[in-house]
């Protein structure tokens, strides 16, 4: 028996088995073994102590095996729909008690399909609504489309073509959403069948050709239910248009495929169509052979709709053969089963009226002629409503397509504008950065040039002047003044652009700064590296600014500088034990603004950790371009 972990497998099977046509199909393989499986499952269900979950799984398997069985089980005297109901009803009750929404959805759809066969369409709609409830709860769009699919079939059988058309549009809409080409094909084939039954043959052929060409590749088409529906309806249209050879070819094709695949509904439908064709060919013997086979299949399936169609053709043969009593009795069986069908109703009423006219039952004949007129009027009204709805839905689809195109056009235009705006902003930013870099780079070069000129020009002149003064009497005071001027000039040039920065890098330049400040100590915490000169210059100026601020404002007794050199960035921390400050209230001058500019240029960041009376720790990261 199944266990609970097999639930996902069951749900994956629903798409294949929970359709009315599949519900009616019977596989030919291993009949004896299949019969044994059914009997074994029924015995387990009826005699073994099972918990509710196990009962649900066994009931599901019983229904599944009944639908795919060939042969008999000990309840095979009942029609298929009754066997399904016998096990699906308790299965649904148990599933709802266990709050097992997956199986409840499946059993509901089984029941809807079973009641279609018995022509209990109110019950069909009730269980379709239940299935839709669980499909919506489980967010199962595929199952929702299956319900619409089955609803279309049920309404066609009931002769309510306007309602069938409404659900078929829903099927087509959801099929587009879930991208199911097979369902789009089926929707078009159902439209073809609806218009064929309403005798609007041009529209029917158009819809059938859409199902034939638009969605499924040719090599897959002939293996599907859509193919059988296409050839069945196309054969019927060819027969009504007088092309009996083409009609015979199509219906024989349906008969052959459905027999091979054991789709018994289509086998039965094709026997009915073939019988009609042979009546027109005056081959009543073959017509009766096909009708007898179709009637056996209809009884086996317990399908009221198929019984009506077969009885209607029997009455047609009897009428042609002037067997008026047999015609009246057989047509009355069909009439009593369903007297409201828009498609077969007029034919049945007409056969009853004509046969009773020949039998001399004038009142009965007049009654059924009036019924015939009413049904034909209803037929015309339904066709008119269908046409209006079809045109309206097509118009809605065109409007929706235009709205979609308009939306995509607007979306494309907006995205294009956004891309252009982003590119423009990026270009401006890059240009600004490039200009800023060029300006800073130019300033750096100017400072380097100025420092070099002062050192090499003014410095050399001062040194030469001092050398000349050394040999003159009373020049000691002048020499001291010149020494002081030379020292200040060297400090000035070192501050503008230190030679150690250009020659040895950031570490050497910071060491020179610390060498002139007694309580500033450099801690180099990584290997020495060189970077592009512009980055090193910015780092040097930032360190100098932070050291200068600590000296001027904090009153610190000790300043620690921690330098970290990584592959593509320079990190440093300036820490002092001074008075600290409140970052939220401190007035930030030109030096801090210059620091922010350098950080922006180098894509850097600054972290300030300080409070009044607790010293300060300022960390800076500068990134290479």
């Amino acid at each position: 028996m199944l266990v609970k972990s097999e639930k996902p497998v069951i749900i994956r099977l629903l798409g294949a088995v929970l359709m009315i046509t599949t519900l009616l199909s019977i596989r030919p393989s291993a009949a004896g073994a299949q019969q044994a499986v059914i009997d074994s499952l029924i015995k387990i269900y009826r005699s073994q102590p099972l918990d509710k979950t196990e009962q649900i799984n066994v009931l599901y398997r019983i229904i599944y095996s009944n639908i795919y069985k060939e042969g008999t089980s000990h309840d095979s005297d009942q029609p298929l729909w009754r066997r399904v109901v016998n096990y699906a009803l308790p299965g649904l009750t148990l599933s709802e008690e266990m709050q097992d929404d997956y199986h409840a959805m499946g059993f509901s759809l089984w029941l809807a399909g079973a009641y279609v066969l018995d022509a209990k369409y109110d019950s069909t709609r009730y269980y379709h609504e239940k299935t839709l409830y669980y499909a919506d709860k489980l967010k199962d769009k595929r199952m929702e489309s299956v319900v619409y699919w089955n609803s279309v079939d049920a309404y066609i059988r009931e002769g309510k073509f306007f309602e069938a058309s409404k659900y078929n549009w829903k099927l087509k809409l959801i099929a587009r959403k879930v991208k199911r080409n097979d369902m789009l094909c089926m929707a078009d084939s159902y439209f073809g069948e609806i218009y064929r039954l309403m005798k609007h043959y041009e529209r029917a052929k158009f819809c059938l050709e859409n199902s034939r060409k638009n969605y499924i590749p040719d090599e897959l088409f002939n293996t599907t239910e859509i193919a059988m529906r296409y050839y069945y309806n196309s054969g019927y249209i060819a027969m009504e248009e007088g092309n009996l050879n083409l009609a015979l070819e199509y219906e024989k094709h349906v008969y052959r495929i459905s027999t091979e695949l054991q789709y018994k509904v289509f086998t039965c439908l094709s026997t009915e169509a073939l019988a009609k064709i042979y009546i027109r060919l005056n081959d009543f013997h073959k017509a009766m052979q096909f009708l007898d086979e179709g009637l056996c299949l209809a009884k086996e399936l317990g399908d009221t709709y198929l019984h009506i169609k077969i009885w209607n053709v029997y009455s047609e043969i009897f009428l042609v053969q002037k067997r008026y009593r047999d015609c009246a009795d057989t047509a009355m069986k069909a009439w009593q089963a369903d007297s409201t069908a828009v498609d077969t109703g007029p034919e049945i009423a007409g056969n009853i009226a004509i046969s009773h006219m020949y039998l001399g039952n004038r009142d009965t004949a007049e009654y059924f002629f009036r019924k015939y007129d009413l049904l034909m009027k209803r037929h015309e009204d339904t066709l008119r409503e269908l046409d209006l709805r079809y045109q309206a839905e097509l118009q809605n689809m065109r409007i929706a397509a235009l709205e979609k195109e308009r939306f995509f056009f607007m979306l494309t235009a907006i995205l294009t504008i956004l891309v252009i705006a982003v590119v423009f902003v990026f270009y401006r930013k890059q240009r600004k950065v490039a200009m800023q870099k060029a300006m800073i780079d130019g300033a750096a070069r100017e400072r380097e040039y100025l420092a070099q000129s002062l050192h090499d020009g003014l410095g050399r002149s001062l040194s030469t002047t001092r050398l000349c003064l050394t040999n003159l009497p009373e020049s000691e005071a002048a020499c001291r003044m010149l020494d002081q001027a030379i020292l200040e000039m060297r400090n000035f040039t070192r501050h503008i652009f230190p030679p150690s920065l250009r020659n040895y890098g950031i570490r050497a330049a910071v060491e020179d700064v610390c060498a002139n400040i007694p309580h500033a100590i450099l801690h180099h915490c990584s290997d020495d590296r060189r970077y592009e000169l512009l980055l090193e210059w910015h780092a040097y100026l930032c360190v100098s600014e932070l050291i200068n601020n600590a000296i001027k404002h904090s009153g610190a007794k000790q300043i620690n500088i921690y330098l970290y050199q990584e592959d593509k960035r320079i990190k440093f921390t300036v820490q002092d034990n001074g008075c600290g400050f409140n970052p939220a209230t401190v007035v930030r001058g030109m030096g801090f603004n210059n620091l922010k500019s350098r950080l922006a240029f180098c894509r850097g960041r600054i972290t300030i950790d300080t409070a009044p009376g607790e010293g300060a720790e300022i960390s800076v990261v500068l990134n290479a371009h």
Side-chain angles (χ1 to χ4, degrees):
M1 69 185 69
L2 288 175
V3 294
K4 195 166 184 177
S5 63
E6 289 184 307
K7 183 187 296 182
V9 177
I10 291 173
I11 298 308
R12 286 197 297 270
L13 289 171
L14 287 179
V17 301
L18 295 181
M19 301 175 187
I20 288 181
T21 54
T22 312
L23 183 68
L24 307 173
S25 64
I26 300 177
R27 302 301 185 197
S29 60
Q34 192 70 4
Q35 174 187 333
V37 169
I38 298 167
D39 291 340
S40 174
L41 287 168
I42 294 172
K43 184 178 180 181
I44 289 170
Y45 173 66
R46 291 179 176 173
S47 62
Q48 297 294 323
L50 304 172
D51 64 31
K52 290 183 178 180
T53 299
E54 290 170 331
Q55 290 180 58
I56 290 169
N57 288 324
V58 171
L59 285 167
Y60 188 92
R61 287 294 301 273
I62 290 171
I63 297 170
Y64 185 86
S65 300
N66 261 290
I67 287 171
Y68 281 96
K69 82 175 188 69
E70 183 178 271
T72 60
S73 64
H74 57 260
D75 59 357
S76 63
D77 56 317
Q78 297 177 333
L80 175 61
W81 72 265
R82 171 53 62 189
R83 296 199 298 272
V84 172
V85 169
N86 287 344
Y87 298 107
L89 275 175
L92 177 60
T93 302
L94 287 168
S95 299
E96 290 180 334
E97 286 178 9
M98 297 292 291
Q99 296 183 339
D100 183 349
D101 294 338
Y102 289 100
H103 281 98
M105 179 172 66
F107 284 122
S108 297
L109 194 57
W110 286 122
L111 286 164
Y115 285 119
V116 165
L117 298 180
D118 194 33
K120 293 181 178 176
Y121 299 114
D122 289 338
S123 297
T124 296
R125 283 188 278 277
Y126 172 77
Y127 286 108
H128 274 158
E129 288 299 320
K130 260 188 176 293
T131 310
L132 282 175
Y133 166 76
Y134 288 115
D136 182 64
K137 192 174 179 181
L138 297 169
K139 309 297 183 187
D140 191 339
K141 289 292 183 184
R142 182 189 52 78
M143 182 57 74
E144 185 181 341
S145 64
V146 171
V147 173
Y148 292 148
W149 184 327
N150 287 0
S151 297
V152 175
D153 190 80
Y155 277 118
I156 287 175
R157 285 165 165 263
E158 197 176 357
K160 294 183 176 180
F161 299 125
F162 187 77
E163 289 81 358
S165 174
K166 180 176 73 173
Y167 276 92
N168 208 34
W169 282 112
K170 288 184 178 181
L171 173 62
K172 197 162 188 174
L173 182 63
I174 198 170
R176 289 184 186 278
K177 286 183 180 178
V178 298
K179 298 180 179 179
R180 287 288 301 271
N181 284 347
D182 57 336
M183 289 184 178
L184 286 169
C185 284
M186 183 57 75
D188 278 333
S189 70
Y190 272 135
F191 275 128
E193 183 162 347
I194 290 168
Y195 281 108
R196 192 269 300 172
L197 291 168
M198 295 303 298
K199 297 180 172 51
H200 192 328
Y201 297 129
E202 288 304 316
R203 177 71 52 76
K205 286 191 284 188
F206 173 77
C207 295
L208 289 169
E209 284 305 314
N210 276 346
S211 73
R212 176 74 175 85
K213 295 177 180 178
N214 288 356
Y215 306 114
I216 294 181
D218 288 343
E219 61 271 17
L220 299 178
F221 182 77
N222 287 330
T223 63
T224 63
E225 179 190 340
I226 303 165
M228 287 183 277
R229 197 172 294 277
Y230 168 81
Y231 287 116
Y232 169 69
N233 286 293
S234 297
Y236 236 107
I237 293 169
M239 177 183 66
E240 295 295 342
E241 292 179 341
N243 193 344
L244 297 182
N245 290 330
L246 182 61
L248 198 62
E249 178 187 342
Y250 280 170
E251 298 302 342
K252 283 184 175 179
H253 185 66
V254 176
Y255 182 81
R256 183 171 61 255
I257 295 175
S258 61
T259 303
E260 288 173 359
L261 298 177
Q262 288 295 306
Y263 280 93
K264 291 196 173 184
V265 165
F266 276 103
T267 304
C268 188
L269 289 171
S270 64
T271 59
E272 177 254 356
L274 286 165
K276 274 181 166 284
I277 295 168
Y278 281 115
I279 289 171
R280 284 160 175 72
L281 293 171
N282 295 317
D283 191 339
F284 301 115
H285 177 70
K286 280 190 177 181
M288 291 296 287
Q289 283 182 329
F290 280 112
L291 283 177
D292 291 343
E293 182 181 353
L295 186 60
C296 289
L297 289 172
K299 287 179 179 178
E300 181 182 342
L301 297 169
D303 192 325
T304 304
Y305 175 74
L306 295 178
H307 272 100
I308 293 170
K309 293 182 79 67
I310 296 294
W311 286 331
N312 181 44
V313 183
Y314 268 123
S315 70
E316 187 177 335
I317 290 180
F318 295 146
L319 185 62
V320 173
Q321 293 178 331
K322 300 182 179 181
R323 295 165 58 183
Y324 300 122
R325 174 50 57 191
D326 290 336
C327 174
D329 292 344
T330 308
M332 186 57 71
K333 285 183 184 179
W335 181 262
Q336 289 170 347
D338 186 359
S339 61
T340 62
V342 177
D343 55 333
T344 57
E347 291 182 25
I348 296 168
N351 289 342
I352 295 173
I354 294 170
S355 59
H356 277 286
M357 183 182 68
Y358 282 109
L359 290 170
N361 301 325
R362 182 176 176 180
D363 291 343
T364 305
E366 287 180 355
Y367 173 81
F368 279 98
F369 275 128
R370 285 196 298 272
K371 287 291 184 183
Y372 174 84
D373 290 338
L374 287 172
L375 287 169
M376 287 304 296
K377 184 177 185 306
R378 184 181 162 203
H379 179 281
E380 292 169 1
D381 292 342
T382 303
L383 182 59
R384 188 161 46 250
E385 288 178 0
L386 277 175
D387 242 5
L388 289 172
R389 182 178 181 85
Y390 188 84
Q391 295 299 336
E393 290 292 347
L394 281 181
Q395 187 66 21
N396 289 338
M397 287 181 68
R398 291 191 192 102
I399 291 171
L402 289 172
E403 288 293 329
K404 191 175 181 181
E405 287 180 9
R406 181 184 175 191
F407 170 76
F408 280 115
F409 175 77
M410 292 181 64
L411 184 62
T412 303
I414 291 169
L415 288 175
T416 303
I417 292 169
L418 285 174
V419 169
I420 293 172
V422 168
V423 170
F424 179 71
V425 170
F426 179 77
Y427 169 75
R428 287 196 63 183
K429 185 177 179 181
Q430 289 297 104
R431 185 179 177 189
K432 183 178 179 181
V433 169
M435 290 176 64
Q436 188 179 21
K437 185 177 183 298
M439 290 174 63
I440 294 173
D441 197 20
R445 288 196 181 91
E446 286 294 327
R447 290 171 73 107
E448 185 180 9
Y449 174 75
L450 180 59
Q452 188 71 31
S453 298
L454 287 172
H455 182 273
D456 294 344
L458 182 58
R460 187 180 298 111
S461 299
L462 290 173
S463 298
T464 303
T465 303
R466 188 191 183 289
L467 183 62
C468 294
L469 287 174
T470 304
N471 299 322
L472 295 176
E474 299 180 0
S475 60
E476 185 176 347
C479 287
R480 283 199 300 273
M481 292 175 65
L482 279 172
D483 288 339
Q484 182 63 31
I486 291 170
L487 179 62
E488 289 180 1
M489 187 272 298
R490 286 177 178 171
N491 288 336
F492 180 67
T493 57
R494 187 180 295 113
H495 180 72
I496 292 176
F497 203 99
S500 56
L501 180 66
R502 180 177 61 250
N503 297 327
Y504 304 108
I506 183 63
R507 176 182 177 180
V510 176
E511 283 177 345
D512 283 350
V513 173
C514 293
N516 293 318
I517 304 171
H519 48 280
I521 303 171
L522 173 65
H523 304 274
H524 190 250
C525 304
S526 59
D527 296 333
D528 198 10
R529 286 180 171 84
R530 289 305 306 267
Y531 305 89
E532 62 176 338
L533 190 58
L534 198 58
L535 177 64
E536 291 180 332
W537 182 58
H538 283 299
Y540 169 77
L541 292 178
C542 289
V543 172
S544 299
E545 180 65 32
L546 292 175
I547 294 172
N548 185 50
N549 285 343
I551 294 170
K552 287 171 61 178
H553 304 298
S554 72
K557 303 296 183 187
Q558 184 174 349
I559 302 173
N560 292 304
I561 300 97
Y562 298 91
L563 179 63
Y564 305 86
Q565 291 179 266
E566 299 178 2
D567 284 342
K568 293 187 178 180
R569 62 181 181 176
I570 300 172
K571 298 164 59 179
F572 55 85
T573 299
V574 178
Q575 183 186 66
D576 67 65
N577 60 356
C579 62
F581 60 93
N582 186 345
T585 59
V586 70
V587 178
R588 302 184 178 187
M590 184 180 294
F592 187 81
N593 290 331
N594 289 337
L595 183 65
K596 282 181 63 178
S597 298
R598 300 184 195 287
L599 288 172
F601 177 75
C602 296
R603 295 178 295 115
R605 66 178 184 274
I606 184 169
T607 305
I608 301 174
D609 183 11
T610 182
E614 295 183 6
E617 182 176 299
I618 302 175
S619 299
V620 173
V621 178
L622 299 177
N623 296 292
H625 282 279

